[in-house]
Amino acid sequence: MIAKIEAIPYCIDYAKPLRFASGFVDKADHVLVRVTTNNGLVGIADAPPRPYTYGETQESILAVINKIMAPQLIGTPVEQNARVHEVLKRTVGNNVAKAAIDIALWDIKAKTANTTLTAMLGGYTDRLQVAHMVGFADTRDVLEEVQDLTDRYGISAYKIKVGRRPIHDDIEVCRAIRREFGDEVVLYIDGNRGWNARESQYVLKALEDINLRFVEELNPASEGFGRRQIVQHTNIPFVVDESAPTPTAVWRALQDGDGSAVSIKTARTGITDSLRIWGLCSSGGVDIVLGNQIDTQVGSMATIAFGAAFYETSLLPAEVSNFLDMQDDLQAEPIEIVDGYAKISQRPGYGASIDPDKLEYYRLDK
Ligand code: MUC
Ligand code: MG
């Protein structure tokens, strides 16, 4: 049963900050969640606060875990997942805090079964193709970044952050990548709601010939009519990300025509709700993209373990490499990206392993 839930704030700087239409990340001011059972098993998860996306902060994650969720959950058997979620549901919102507790508990479940989380969930494969998110920058800097990632890690799928004004800066970056890196590269764009519907349609027309695999959240889904016009008039799958952060929201977004593909982020739906979204999408023939919540290696390990479990989540490149932009990480056994692929860990659980010296150094609650 759950004996202890710790929420540990820490901060690690980014070597290369990520800029995008809804925000800017230059440090990982996250919360490490550690759940201990009465028989000494430990589950780990990383909680990345994204105030501009879900309203959570490092302080709010600490408060809601320490003051509300931990006291309500202590004593609950880890295997009673449905009961855990009945308890978590009593608190509205706070998706990232809930997801971290859920991931740590699945880490324990897999460790208890002495198997990998991937094998426990579905066991489809042991590796995922990697897609890297490229933030706002001048065309020359973006081309250098992509060249470097291609040379060092063999990455050949890129999600380009767009949504700037003037619009032509983004159009130029996308065209330059296609021109320099060729037709084989998987290229898609994410606007983080930066444009309106008319601007989005203008860009789709301007980039018609560069074979974008997806477009994501170009304009706010709250524009309703405008969003649906875009989704209906393009044959490029339109990914819902921040406009559909829960299984219910995904269901509604697909029914309403707010999007035609879905981003699953374990950082906000943990394993349990990610399974529910996978169920919806795989049953309905909807493309799934494994998204990045600007995750550390610990967070990315959870995404890789989940994604590798199923055919539908391992079909497309997964956004699991942006930890490469950080100065350091808590993960003791680093994720290796070779020839553009990241492998699951073969250790029981999902592979999160914390370097105790690094945690001591970066934690903020000393
Ligand atoms: C993404 O796909 O949008 C940026 C903000 C956020 O919440 O996630 C990232 C990446
Ligand atoms: Mg997105």
Side-chain angles (χ1 to χ4, degrees):
M1 73 172 66
I2 300 171
K4 187 161 71 169
I5 301 181
E6 295 164 279
I8 306 168
Y10 70 92
C11 188
I12 301 177
D13 286 338
Y14 268 73
K16 184 176 189 328
L18 186 77
R19 293 182 172 77
F20 44 97
S22 59
F24 166 70
V25 169
D26 62 351
K27 54 184 187 304
D29 48 355
H30 296 190
V31 177
L32 187 79
V33 173
R34 200 158 55 183
V35 178
T36 308
T37 65
N38 59 326
N39 49 9
L41 283 173
V42 177
I44 292 163
D46 195 51
R50 297 286 165 253
Y52 31 77
T53 316
Y54 314 110
E56 290 172 275
T57 63
Q58 189 178 49
E59 293 77 12
S60 79
I61 291 173
L62 290 173
V64 81
I65 292 180
N66 287 332
K67 294 197 173 152
I68 300 179
M69 295 168 181
Q72 289 178 349
L73 285 171
I74 303 294
T76 308
V78 173
E79 63 278 14
Q80 292 183 3
N81 196 46
R83 275 179 178 275
V84 167
H85 279 270
E86 280 308 308
V87 170
L88 291 176
K89 245 175 34 191
R90 289 185 210 153
T91 307
V92 172
N94 291 282
N95 300 1
V96 173
K98 288 175 183 170
I101 290 177
D102 180 74
I103 291 170
L105 291 175
W106 277 94
D107 196 26
I108 294 173
K109 285 192 264 281
K111 283 175 179 166
T112 306
N114 196 28
T115 186
T116 65
L117 180 60
T118 304
M120 186 174 220
L121 296 174
Y124 180 72
T125 181
D126 69 347
R127 69 197 70 196
L128 296 179
Q129 193 190 346
V130 170
H132 194 81
M133 286 195 299
V134 178
F136 292 168
D138 292 341
T139 305
R140 214 183 39 200
D141 293 341
V142 168
L143 291 178
E144 261 177 36
E145 182 183 354
V146 172
Q147 187 67 61
D148 184 52
L149 292 159
T150 308
D151 294 345
R152 288 167 69 179
Y153 306 104
I155 297 176
S156 61
Y158 295 93
K159 171 161 110 173
I160 315 302
K161 288 294 192 185
V162 296
R164 283 182 290 187
R165 298 188 178 97
I167 291 176
H168 279 274
D169 289 354
D170 288 338
I171 293 176
E172 189 197 312
V173 166
C174 295
R175 298 197 78 84
I177 297 176
R178 179 58 84 215
R179 191 173 57 238
E180 295 298 318
F181 296 93
D183 291 341
E184 298 308 309
V185 168
V186 176
L187 207 58
Y188 58 114
I189 57 175
D190 182 1
N192 288 113
R193 301 158 279 143
W195 292 322
N196 62 28
R198 187 191 48 76
E199 290 168 316
S200 306
Q201 275 174 323
Y202 178 87
V203 172
L204 284 172
K205 182 94 191 121
L207 293 179
E208 221 168 35
D209 58 330
I210 70 157
N211 188 23
L212 292 175
R213 178 66 180 83
F214 295 106
V215 296
E216 180 170 320
E217 300 283 6
L218 298 183
N219 69 323
S222 56
E223 284 184 352
F225 176 78
R227 167 64 75 93
R228 278 169 226 142
Q229 288 281 304
I230 303 171
V231 176
Q232 273 166 20
H233 289 110
T234 178
N235 50 17
I236 304 173
F238 194 113
V239 179
V240 286
D241 174 14
E242 60 265 44
S243 66
T246 62
T248 307
V250 166
W251 179 230
R252 192 175 296 146
L254 292 172
Q255 275 188 322
D256 289 354
D258 289 344
S260 49
V262 169
S263 172
I264 294 185
K265 292 182 174 174
T266 50
R268 69 176 172 220
T269 42
I271 302 302
T272 305
D273 277 353
S274 296
L275 284 169
R276 296 170 75 201
I277 298 175
W278 162 75
L280 283 174
C281 295
S282 58
S283 309
V286 175
D287 272 353
I288 296 168
V289 181
L290 289 174
N292 189 308
Q293 200 61 85
I294 319 173
D295 291 305
T296 59
Q297 291 198 44
V298 174
S300 304
M301 296 289 304
T303 303
I304 296 168
F306 173 79
F310 306 104
Y311 167 74
E312 295 84 357
T313 46
S314 50
L315 261 181
L316 294 160
E319 298 162 15
V320 292
S321 57
N322 279 77
F323 64 83
L324 294 170
D325 295 338
M326 292 174 64
Q327 276 184 9
D328 201 357
D329 208 286
L330 298 181
Q331 174 75 7
E333 289 171 17
I335 299 175
E336 282 186 44
I337 300 173
V338 181
D339 294 335
Y341 279 78
K343 280 194 187 172
I344 63 163
S345 158
Q346 291 300 335
R347 287 180 178 277
Y350 71 90
S353 59
I354 301 301
D355 180 322
D357 296 334
K358 288 188 178 178
L359 180 58
E360 197 47 38
Y361 183 74
Y362 291 115
R363 67 191 296 167
L364 301 172
D365 58 351
K366 292 179 276 204

